[in-house]
Amino acid sequence: MAMPAATTLLAWTRLLRAADLASQHCAATLRSLGLPPPEWYDVLLAIERHGAQRPRDLQAALATEQYALSRLVDRMVKAGLLIRVPCPDDARGHTLHLTIEGRAMRAAMWPVYAEAIEAALGARVVEEDRTALARLLAPLAEPVSA
């Protein structure tokens, strides 16, 4: 069994902490204005960009667990931001569609979310380092192969 190098552990710890703190900041900023959490934005944006989607496709696109997405979608349907439409070729399946309210919510969330992202990252790290960070994180943004 290979043990990670000390620098690997340090990078891992800082990566997780940075992601957690940035996520908390964005969620708190949205919440302070009575807006839903960033996860809602991610779902709304994915469907707005790519059209109606089956939950399994949305799950893959967002790299989230099925049970978490299911609960999230239930809340978003209840809030009137999404609707479920039965699939014509699969009696057990459905696709998720944005409502007018869902489009409006995504549009309302973006300026606040964008400002929170800028405060959490853009204003704290110079452009050259943001470019390097994006390059360094690119291979980590893909699933780990077995």
Side-chain angles (χ1 to χ4, degrees):
M1 177 167 110
M3 295 299 295
T7 54
T8 301
L9 292 175
L10 178 62
W12 176 256
T13 302
R14 288 184 177 172
L15 176 65
L16 294 180
R17 178 148 173 82
D20 191 44
L21 289 172
S23 294
Q24 287 176 25
H25 172 74
C26 288
T29 302
L30 289 164
R31 186 174 47 250
S32 73
L33 296 173
L35 294 168
E39 298 81 24
W40 289 42
Y41 182 86
D42 297 340
V43 170
L44 295 171
L45 181 63
I47 296 173
E48 186 174 76
R49 280 188 176 166
H50 304 290
Q53 293 186 42
R54 294 186 64 147
R56 68 176 179 225
D57 299 326
L58 190 58
Q59 175 190 350
L62 298 177
T64 189
E65 298 292 331
Q66 185 275 329
Y67 68 89
L69 181 64
S70 179
R71 286 191 296 238
L72 176 60
V73 166
D74 287 345
R75 289 191 301 270
M76 294 177 76
V77 167
K78 186 175 181 180
L81 304 178
L82 299 175
I83 57 171
R84 290 182 176 100
V85 175
C87 287
D89 58 337
D90 180 359
R92 296 179 300 158
H94 63 273
T95 55
L96 299 168
H97 297 252
L98 284 183
T99 63
I100 292 169
E101 294 82 3
R103 287 185 192 283
M105 179 60 74
R106 203 244 8 112
M109 289 177 77
W110 176 242
V112 177
Y113 195 11
E115 191 172 306
I117 292 168
E118 179 61 23
L121 178 64
R124 299 171 68 194
V125 179
V126 298
E127 175 67 26
E128 181 181 330
D129 290 343
R130 290 192 307 265
T131 300
L133 182 60
R135 180 183 48 76
L136 290 169
L137 292 174
L140 302 179
E142 298 297 325
V144 176
S145 59

